[in-house]
């Protein structure tokens, strides 16, 4: 080892957290296991939608009480979220607790016909209230220990905006998670923003451009394959939304895979390409578990389902650590070309 090389336990770790509604509880489990069983300092976080919420909760908890504080912050938020709506009392769940009931489907169709402003004229927003109680946004915006990158999509141009520490606020996180069929656009500096998943889910380039971590771990919720080709109108609508929330991420990762695989001597490559090749890449995904759930389960923030997703995320991470913990701080455990290099690319 070179005398100036970084100890594996001190290697700086960045996390990119994908969004996916209630499936973000899977990421809660991933983060809980990582915080308990790894030692690498977390220096940067990027996130979209539920990934943005997990990012600010993780950062807030780290500042407030270290790794144990981060685990508490995540658990308190997701458990409180699961108690916010009385799903069963309102008859909104199917018998298995993983799909919406006919009543809930009717309500969803009604809100889509009315639009979010008319469907919720009182602007009730329990998620906003819960975030206010859970995160000190002013402190997060002022600190420089953990770099934060939160993605939102400008509603009138479709352009990605990544908000950094200095711009961080409750509205930024709410914008990152704003589903336009259910919620009105969130105004920031007078401009309307929707869910960041349309433009970056999650943003990865900012982690390399501004932070230059030693290791970068992607926590992914979208399945590697979306299933059989849809044939009826409802299936096609669902598939177009699934593609809308994954295409930007796949395009970004294919570009990074090409950069990582580019040839030539190190001094012949551009500075950013050299940074892409220097960082150690890792991926933890929930593809096997989450792909088996109906797409609409992303809307079900019901405590038993959230806890099952947390447990699945923890177990997936413990299995990953059993195989790859020794690579953190030493070498990559993911091959970007194999994972993202073409239409047939997917993990083993």
């Amino acid at each position: 080892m070179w005398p100036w090389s970084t100890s594996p336990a001190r290697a700086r770790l960045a996390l990119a957290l994908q969004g996916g509604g209630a499936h973000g509880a899977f990421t809660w489990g991933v983060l809980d296991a990582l915080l308990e069983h790894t030692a690498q300092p977390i220096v940067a976080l990027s996130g979209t939608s539920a990934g943005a919420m997990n990012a600010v909760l993780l950062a807030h908890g780290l500042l407030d009480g270290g790794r144990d504080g981060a685990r508490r912050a995540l658990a308190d938020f997701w458990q409180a979220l699961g108690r916010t709506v009385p799903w069963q009392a309102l008859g909104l769940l199917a018998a298995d607790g993983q799909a919406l009931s006919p009543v809930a489907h009717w309500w969803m169709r009604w809100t889509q016909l009315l639009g979010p402003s008319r469907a919720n004229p009182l602007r009730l927003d329990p998620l906003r209230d819960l975030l206010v109680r859970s995160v000190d946004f002013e402190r997060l915006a002022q600190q420089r220990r953990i770099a934060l990158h939160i993605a939102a999509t400008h509603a009138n141009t479709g352009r990605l905006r990544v908000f950094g520490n200095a711009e961080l606020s409750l509205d930024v996180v709410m914008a990152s998670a704003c589903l336009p069929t259910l919620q009105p656009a969130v105004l920031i500096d007078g401009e309307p923003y929707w869910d960041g998943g349309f433009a970056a889910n999650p943003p990865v380039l900012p982690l390399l451009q501004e932070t230059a971590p030693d290791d970068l771990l992607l926590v992914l919720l979208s399945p590697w394959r979306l299933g059989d080709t849809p044939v009826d109108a409802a299936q096609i609508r669902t598939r177009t939304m699934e593609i809308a929330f994954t295409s930007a991420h796949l395009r970004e990762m294919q570009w990074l895979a090409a950069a990582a695989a580019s040839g030539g001597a190190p001094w012949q490559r551009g500075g950013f390409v050299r940074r892409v090749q220097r960082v150690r890449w890792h991926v933890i995904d929930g593809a096997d578990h989450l792909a088996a759930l109906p797409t609409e389960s992303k809307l079900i923030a019901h405590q038993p389902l959230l806890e099952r997703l947390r447990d699945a995320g923890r177990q997936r991470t413990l299995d990953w650590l059993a195989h790859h913990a020794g690579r953190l701080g030493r070498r990559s455990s993911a091959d970007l070309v194999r994972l993202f290099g073409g239409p047939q690319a997917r993990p083993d």
Side-chain angles (χ1 to χ4, degrees):
M1 296 181 62
W2 297 103
W4 56 82
S5 62
T6 304
S7 163
R10 295 176 59 84
R12 298 176 303 165
L13 178 63
L15 303 176
L17 309 179
Q18 196 168 63
H23 289 185
F26 182 94
T27 302
W28 163 29
V30 171
L31 297 176
D32 187 72
L34 287 175
L35 290 165
E36 183 179 12
H37 295 287
T38 64
Q40 286 74 21
I42 298 170
V43 297
L45 296 158
S46 73
T48 298
S49 192
M53 295 180 194
N54 279 320
V56 297
L57 288 162
L58 176 59
H60 169 87
L62 286 172
L63 294 176
D64 201 42
R67 298 174 93 84
D68 289 339
R71 295 180 69 194
R72 285 194 302 271
L74 288 159
D76 289 348
F77 172 84
W78 283 100
Q79 289 170 354
L81 181 63
R83 297 190 297 266
T84 298
V85 176
W87 291 88
Q88 290 178 316
L90 295 175
L92 299 176
L93 292 180
D96 62 3
Q98 299 182 162
L100 297 174
S101 69
V103 171
H105 278 292
W106 175 87
W107 177 80
M108 290 289 293
R109 287 193 295 269
W110 184 247
T111 59
Q112 290 171 4
L113 288 172
L114 289 177
S117 297
R118 293 175 62 190
N120 185 13
L122 298 179
R123 298 292 180 92
L124 300 176
D125 198 338
L127 179 58
R128 175 181 283 269
D129 297 337
L130 179 55
L131 280 170
V132 168
R133 299 195 302 269
S134 302
V135 178
D136 185 343
F137 285 96
E138 184 176 352
R139 183 183 182 190
L140 280 185
Q142 294 173 351
Q143 61 85 32
R144 294 295 178 267
R145 174 180 157 192
I146 304 167
L148 289 159
H149 308 280
I150 305 301
T153 305
H154 192 274
N156 293 343
T157 65
R159 293 179 179 173
L160 168 67
R161 181 170 175 183
V162 179
F163 294 86
N165 290 47
E167 305 165 302
L168 192 65
S169 69
L170 171 63
D171 281 339
V172 165
V173 177
M174 293 303 299
S176 184
C178 177
L179 290 173
T181 57
L182 300 178
Q183 302 154 303
V186 178
L187 294 178
I188 300 174
D189 299 328
E191 298 291 333
Y193 288 91
W194 283 346
D195 196 301
F198 291 113
N201 190 21
V204 179
L205 286 173
L207 295 171
L208 298 169
Q209 290 169 326
E210 300 182 22
T211 313
D214 300 305
D215 291 71
L216 198 159
L217 171 61
L218 305 172
V219 182
L220 305 181
L221 305 179
S222 298
W224 294 93
R225 287 190 62 85
L226 300 176
D228 296 331
T229 305
V231 292
D232 64 37
Q235 292 172 341
I236 292 170
R237 283 195 299 270
T238 298
R239 178 60 52 82
T240 56
M241 287 299 295
E242 290 172 334
I243 291 174
F245 279 98
T246 58
S247 59
H249 167 69
L250 293 175
R251 185 167 58 250
E252 182 181 31
M253 293 309 301
Q254 285 174 343
W255 186 91
L256 287 168
S262 62
W267 57 85
Q268 295 174 320
R269 306 173 193 138
F272 184 74
V273 171
R274 189 158 58 246
R275 189 175 298 182
V276 172
Q277 295 173 333
R278 187 193 67 81
V279 73
R280 293 179 284 265
W281 294 90
H282 311 278
V283 175
I284 296 177
D285 70 84
D288 293 341
H289 183 83
L290 299 177
L293 298 176
T295 301
E296 64 194 35
S297 64
K298 296 177 182 180
L299 301 174
I300 302 175
H302 184 225
Q303 190 166 13
L305 176 60
L306 298 180
E307 290 177 349
R308 288 197 296 272
L309 290 169
R310 174 206 59 197
D311 293 344
R314 270 191 60 87
Q315 188 58 54
R316 174 73 180 93
T317 305
L318 293 175
D319 293 343
W320 184 88
L321 288 170
H323 291 89
H324 301 300
R327 297 194 176 194
L328 281 171
R330 291 186 174 91
R331 60 189 185 277
S332 293
S333 62
D335 182 342
L336 295 191
V337 175
R338 181 176 62 81
L339 293 178
F340 301 102
Q344 301 303 318
R346 58 175 298 176
D348 294 333

